[in-house]
């Protein structure tokens, strides 16, 4: 009996033009609009490579003796220093495509940066601050060591002061200033088409209740539930007769949308099997969760309102409308949304080929499916008895 129920429900759902429109056409339309709107923002999210910085050294500047060390440290941090003794800093930056300019004066320095190179400017400021702090620490170590050894060593420390901060730091370190350069993990850039081509398909998959709205409404309207009881079907069988067709139809439509986006819009889905597993589990979790809401309310209108409100909030926190990379919402709040885990897993699979969030997404979707299914069956049994 349950096989015939599943088969008939699948046929009825596939015959609905609303389902084809909602789960195939709508994601493609929305992703096209959002991808175009946020293309310039997403293009700015890319790793910065080596960049050139100009500098000018004034007479008697104590930075001059340490400039060779600063150049070497700069190369390790992808900051390339070029000397320009003449010219206005702003004009030199425009003429030679410099991301910044440093004017080393007698005992200080002034930095110029460009409006379109804020990240490079911050890198340059951090590098110079770290260099000066390390030089100062080296100078203090030299002075303390020499003062402890007596007046003769104190004179040597004074000589080190006269020679400049960089030479003093050389004495402290043995030969040169050593700055620790670390390169944290960096997520490769993902363009707006790939990002929204993935997350919008995910989002519409979470609106799974619409797929079964017509069937569930007719069951209540024409008293089909009583026929299930006469046929001797358990509440679990009735539930599976709704869940399996709903899951199958939504997932099939979502797969068609994904194939169209990959072929026509060139959306990259990354690791095919892991992406498919994440998508399938999210659709299953969404179907079970929304059927639970329907079993609780026994009202299609109320169920749609509640489920859409919850899914919209999850999508808002999870990066459906604003990319989670640029969102100012705290990570703790984002992690309350099951959509966040799926979006992050799929987008990282797209641009990196792997993601630490695949397991988390599968686990959360699985837990949601089990709990929601159990509650839906219990609510149905309680309503049947009542």
């Amino acid at each position: 009996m349950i096989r015939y129920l599943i088969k008939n429900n699948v046929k009825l759902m596939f015959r609905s033009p609303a389902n084809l429109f909602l789960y195939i056409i709508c994601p493609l339309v929305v992703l096209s609009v959002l991808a175009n709107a946020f293309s310039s923002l997403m293009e700015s999210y890319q790793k910065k490579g080596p960049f050139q910085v100009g500098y000018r050294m004034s007479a008697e500047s104590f930075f001059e003796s340490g400039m060779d060390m600063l150049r070497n440290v700069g190369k390790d941090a992808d900051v390339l220093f070029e000397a320009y003794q003449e010219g206005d800093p702003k004009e030199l930056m425009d003429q030679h495509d410099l991301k910044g300019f440093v004017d080393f004066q007698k005992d200080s320095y002034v930095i110029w940066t460009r409006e379109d190179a804020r990240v490079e400017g911050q890198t340059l400021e951090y590098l110079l601050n770290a260099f000066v702090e390390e030089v100062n620490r080296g100078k203090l170590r030299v002075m303390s060591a020499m003062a402890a050894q007596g007046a003769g060593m104190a004179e040597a420390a004074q000589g080190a002061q006269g020679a400049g901060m960089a030479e003093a730091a050389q004495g402290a370190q043995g030969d040169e200033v050593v700055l620790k350069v670390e390169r944290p993990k960096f997520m490769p850039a993902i363009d707006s088409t790939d990002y929204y081509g993935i997350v919008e398909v995910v989002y519409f998959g979470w609106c799974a209740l619409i797929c079964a709205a017509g069937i569930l409404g007719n069951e209540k309207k024409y008293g089909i539930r009583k026929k299930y009881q006469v046929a001797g079907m358990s509440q679990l069988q009735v539930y599976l007769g709704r869940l399996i067709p709903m899951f199958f139809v939504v997932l099939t439509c979502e797969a068609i949308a994904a194939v169209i986006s990959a072929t026509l819009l060139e959306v990259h889905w990354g690791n095919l099997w892991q992406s498919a597993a994440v998508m399938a589990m999210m659709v299953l979790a969404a179907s079970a969760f929304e059927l639970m809401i329907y079993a609780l309310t026994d009202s299609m209108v109320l169920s749609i309102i509640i489920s859409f409100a919850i899914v919209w909030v999850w999508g808002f926190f999870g990066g459906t409308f604003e990319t989670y990379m640029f969102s100012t919402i705290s990570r703790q709040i984002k992690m309350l949304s099951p959509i966040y885990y799926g979006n992050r897993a799929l987008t990282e699979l797209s641009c990196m080929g792997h993601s630490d969030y695949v397991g988390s997404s599968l686990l959360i979707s699985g837990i949601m499916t089990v709990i929601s299914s159990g509650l839906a069956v219990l609510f149905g049994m309680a309503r049947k008895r009542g």
Side-chain angles (χ1 to χ4, degrees):
M1 182 66 182
I2 187 174
R3 289 185 301 171
Y4 296 105
L5 178 61
I6 293 173
K7 182 179 178 180
N8 290 334
N9 284 344
V10 168
K11 289 181 179 179
L12 291 173
M13 291 180 187
F14 269 127
R15 290 174 183 172
S16 173
N19 290 339
L20 301 179
F21 176 78
L22 179 64
Y23 300 110
I24 299 178
I25 305 301
C26 285
L28 298 176
V29 173
V30 174
L31 78 86
S32 299
V33 173
L34 293 179
N36 182 66
F38 291 97
S39 58
S40 59
L41 176 64
M42 299 295 287
E43 287 173 359
S44 65
Y45 181 66
Q46 53 183 327
K47 185 179 180 180
K48 304 298 181 182
F51 60 93
Q52 289 188 330
V53 172
Y55 74 92
R56 176 184 300 145
M57 191 69 65
S58 63
E60 300 180 355
S61 174
F62 57 66
F63 289 98
E64 184 173 5
S65 59
M67 196 61 209
D68 290 338
M69 288 180 289
L70 182 58
R71 286 198 194 95
N72 293 332
V73 173
K75 288 181 181 179
D76 293 336
D78 293 334
V79 181
L80 308 179
F81 287 93
E82 296 289 339
Y84 295 91
Q85 291 302 121
E86 301 293 336
D88 181 73
K90 294 183 180 179
E91 294 179 358
L92 290 172
M93 286 191 293
D94 293 336
Q95 294 173 2
H96 301 280
D97 193 27
L98 304 175
K99 302 303 182 182
F101 194 92
V102 185
D103 185 1
F104 292 104
Q105 300 174 1
K106 183 176 181 180
D107 55 0
S108 62
Y109 61 86
V110 180
I111 300 177
W112 281 268
T113 59
R114 295 168 54 153
E115 287 292 332
D116 59 349
R118 295 183 179 180
V119 174
E120 291 88 344
Q122 292 174 355
T123 303
L124 176 60
E125 290 183 20
Y126 178 82
L127 177 66
L128 291 174
N129 287 335
F131 182 78
V132 171
E133 288 179 3
E134 186 64 27
V135 168
N136 286 332
R137 283 195 292 266
K139 177 182 174 182
L140 290 174
R141 285 194 294 268
V142 169
M143 293 177 64
S144 298
M146 291 181 176
Q149 294 180 11
M153 296 304 294
E155 292 178 358
Q158 290 178 358
Q161 284 183 333
M165 291 199 313
E167 291 181 357
Q170 281 186 342
Q173 298 292 335
D175 52 358
E176 65 178 10
V177 172
V178 178
L179 291 182
K180 184 178 180 181
V181 178
E182 296 182 355
R183 299 181 182 277
K185 293 182 180 180
F186 187 91
M187 179 179 171
I190 181 171
D191 63 29
S192 58
T193 302
D194 283 347
Y195 182 85
Y196 287 106
I198 292 171
V199 301
E200 294 308 320
V201 173
V202 169
Y203 180 73
F204 280 92
W206 278 89
C207 302
L209 185 61
I210 292 295
C211 182
I215 293 175
L216 295 177
N218 288 334
E219 285 182 0
K220 185 176 182 180
K221 181 178 180 180
Y222 297 107
I224 299 178
R225 297 176 182 176
K226 295 181 180 180
K227 296 181 180 180
Y228 291 154
Q229 297 177 11
V230 173
M233 294 183 65
S234 66
Q235 190 60 40
L236 177 60
Q237 290 177 319
V238 174
Y239 172 75
L240 292 177
R242 298 167 178 172
L243 176 67
I244 294 175
M246 184 175 170
F247 164 70
F248 178 75
V249 173
V250 174
L251 184 61
T252 302
C253 292
E254 294 289 276
I256 294 173
V259 171
I260 294 175
S261 67
T263 53
L264 299 183
L265 301 177
E266 298 182 351
V267 175
H268 302 91
W269 283 85
N271 187 301
L272 180 60
W273 295 110
Q274 292 187 32
S275 297
V278 171
M279 276 293 303
M281 286 302 298
M282 283 197 294
V283 172
L284 183 60
S287 302
F289 175 74
E290 293 176 1
L291 284 177
M292 179 200 69
I293 295 177
Y294 178 73
L296 176 64
T297 62
D298 197 33
S299 169
M300 181 54 60
V301 175
L302 186 58
S303 298
I304 291 176
I305 293 174
I306 294 174
S307 62
F308 274 29
I310 294 174
V311 170
W312 188 92
V313 172
W314 283 347
F316 179 79
F317 292 144
T320 300
F321 314 110
E322 180 186 21
T323 61
Y324 66 83
M325 291 89 75
F326 299 117
S327 175
T328 57
I329 300 172
S330 68
R331 186 168 177 269
Q332 288 74 16
I333 296 179
K334 293 178 186 177
M335 294 181 71
L336 297 176
S337 167
I339 295 180
Y340 169 75
Y341 295 90
N343 284 347
R344 182 151 185 177
L346 292 171
T347 52
E348 289 183 357
L349 287 172
S350 173
C351 64
M352 295 192 301
H354 62 87
S355 175
D356 296 335
Y357 284 79
V358 172
S360 300
S361 178
L362 295 176
L363 178 61
I364 290 174
S365 296
I367 293 174
M368 284 187 62
T369 301
V370 172
I371 295 176
S372 298
S373 297
L375 291 175
V377 173
L378 291 176
F379 292 152
M381 293 174 62
R383 192 176 302 279
K384 180 179 177 180
R385 292 173 182 174

